[in-house]
Amino acid sequence: MKTYKVIGIGNAVVDVITQSDDSFLANMGIEKGIMQLIEKDRAEVLFGSMSERTQAAGGSVANSIAGIGALGLRTAFIGRVKDDALGLFYAKAMTDEGTDFVNAPVAGGELPTSRSMIFVSPDGERSMNTYLGISAELGPEDVSDEVGADAEIVFLEGYLFDKDKGKEAFVKLARACRANGGKAGIAISDPFCVERHRADFLNLIENELDYVIGNEEEVKSLFETDNLEAALAKLSAICPLAVCTRSGDGVSIMSGGARIDVPVDKIVPVDATGAGDQFAAGFLFGLATGRDLETCGQMGCVCAREVIGHVGPRPKANISALLREAGLIA
């Protein structure tokens, strides 16, 4: 039996979250509803502008892995932090939440630990301004073949594609997992990320991965089309399992030439931060525990619904209890 059900690899980012209105975003030059990469000086300005901040260990795939761990599965996360105050906070927070933080904080690293300033609007949209710092330096030397081989499922974060060594780390982990009977997949992460690395994404998906999870804008961007159905058909042709979240329109799952559409109950989000991350957590929990794909999709929707009901990217309610109430687990 393998040690880990799911291992994630991605940016280890401390999330700093506050509420804001549209006029504040405009005054600060913050583009609403997307993730922007910023430099250190800009990060310091935005951090100083935030009032009533909440702080948590974050990063897209790290949030997903923490959600899976909260459901009782053994998980680990591969990320890179400095041994500064934020880095030590991050490593402890992940461990305290039940996820093994595989790599120790880097002693004397030149770059500080990554952080993302997240401004949540009254309509629930989140505007993320991320300073990547040391997390973007993650490379193949941070990936142990033994750790990858000891995972049933690995989950990769598309944001790490901005540097070649991040791509190399992905491939190393995916190959170690798959060579030992596991499954590897990716969170596409962001349409702008796709635009920067489309060819590399497609090559990775077709040749190294077993599943892909993304939202409709990301999937359409992958194939440079506004036609979601055409994009889904192309994605399912190169990957055994394609999962597309469509916000209030539900989830489409493509596998083996078949399609499953999972509906959702539309609600007004308090904070959309982490919705995709927690959908992935629920879906992968189902996959790791042998559920059918429709049930996996339903589990993902339950997890996403919980997290958009409050501020912050990780669950606050007992997700196992919510899945029981929905009749998805005993």
Side-chain angles (χ1 to χ4, degrees):
M1 180 179 293
K2 296 190 176 185
T3 301
Y4 300 109
K5 283 288 188 178
V6 188
I7 292 178
I9 180 172
N11 284 311
V13 183
V14 177
D15 286 334
V16 187
I17 306 169
T18 192
Q19 301 280 342
S20 65
D21 57 26
D22 289 354
S23 63
F24 174 85
L25 298 180
N27 289 337
M28 296 299 296
I30 298 169
E31 189 167 351
K32 183 176 178 180
I34 68 167
M35 193 284 288
Q36 292 180 295
L37 296 178
I38 59 174
E39 298 301 323
K40 184 179 178 182
D41 290 347
R42 173 70 167 164
E44 291 175 351
V45 169
L46 292 183
F47 185 84
S49 75
M50 303 176 87
S51 60
E52 298 183 9
R53 299 181 291 252
T54 59
Q55 181 174 293
S60 177
V61 163
N63 289 335
S64 299
I65 296 301
I68 297 167
L71 285 166
L73 300 187
R74 184 77 186 274
T75 57
F77 181 69
I78 299 170
R80 191 173 176 89
V81 299
K82 184 180 178 179
D83 64 343
D84 53 17
L86 283 179
L88 296 173
F89 163 81
Y90 190 97
K92 184 177 186 300
M94 291 294 287
T95 302
D96 287 349
E97 292 176 9
T99 291
D100 288 351
F101 190 71
V102 174
N103 300 328
V106 178
E110 292 184 6
L111 296 174
T113 295
S114 310
R115 73 288 312 269
S116 181
M117 278 66 68
I118 303 173
F119 298 87
V120 182
S121 307
D123 60 3
E125 280 289 343
R126 82 276 196 209
S127 305
M128 305 169 66
N129 295 262
T130 302
Y131 168 62
L132 290 178
I134 198 171
S135 70
E137 299 304 311
L138 187 144
E141 68 277 8
D142 297 304
V143 176
S144 160
D145 284 334
E146 291 75 19
V147 170
D150 210 15
E152 293 186 14
I153 295 172
V154 296
F155 191 35
L156 318 174
E157 181 179 307
Y159 286 131
L160 272 182
F161 257 53
D162 280 319
K163 292 197 175 181
D164 286 342
K165 57 186 174 182
K167 301 171 191 175
E168 293 169 12
F170 275 15
V171 172
K172 183 177 179 181
L173 182 63
R175 288 179 178 174
C177 177
R178 298 180 84 202
N180 289 274
K183 295 183 181 298
I186 194 169
I188 300 177
S189 295
D190 188 277
F192 296 101
C193 189
V194 173
E195 289 175 11
R196 292 193 296 271
H197 308 290
R198 185 173 288 108
D200 286 334
F201 265 123
L202 290 171
N203 180 62
L204 184 78
I205 290 168
E206 184 168 9
N207 296 303
E208 305 284 356
L209 301 182
D210 303 289
Y211 67 91
V212 176
I213 300 176
N215 65 35
E216 58 184 311
E217 294 306 317
E218 294 160 358
V219 171
K220 288 190 292 187
S221 179
L222 198 59
F223 296 99
E224 299 182 90
T225 178
D226 290 327
N227 187 323
L228 178 61
E229 297 305 315
L232 284 173
K234 290 180 179 180
L235 183 57
S236 64
I238 63 171
C239 190
L241 174 58
V243 184
C244 178
T245 59
R246 297 181 289 117
S247 190
D249 293 325
V251 179
S252 296
I253 303 168
M254 316 285 283
S255 177
R259 174 172 174 161
I260 300 166
D261 288 308
V262 179
V264 297
D265 295 325
K266 292 184 180 181
I267 64 170
V268 177
V270 173
D271 174 13
T273 307
D277 305 339
Q278 294 310 318
F279 171 84
F283 187 90
L284 292 177
F285 170 80
L287 200 65
T289 53
R291 267 67 175 195
D292 63 80
L293 292 177
E294 182 173 9
T295 300
C296 291
Q298 292 168 341
M299 287 178 164
C301 291
V302 168
C303 294
R305 182 184 177 94
E306 190 281 337
V307 81
I308 66 175
H310 57 76
V311 174
R314 297 190 179 183
K316 293 184 177 179
N318 185 320
I319 299 297
S320 294
L322 295 179
L323 292 176
R324 280 193 293 271
E325 288 173 14
L328 298 174
I329 61 174

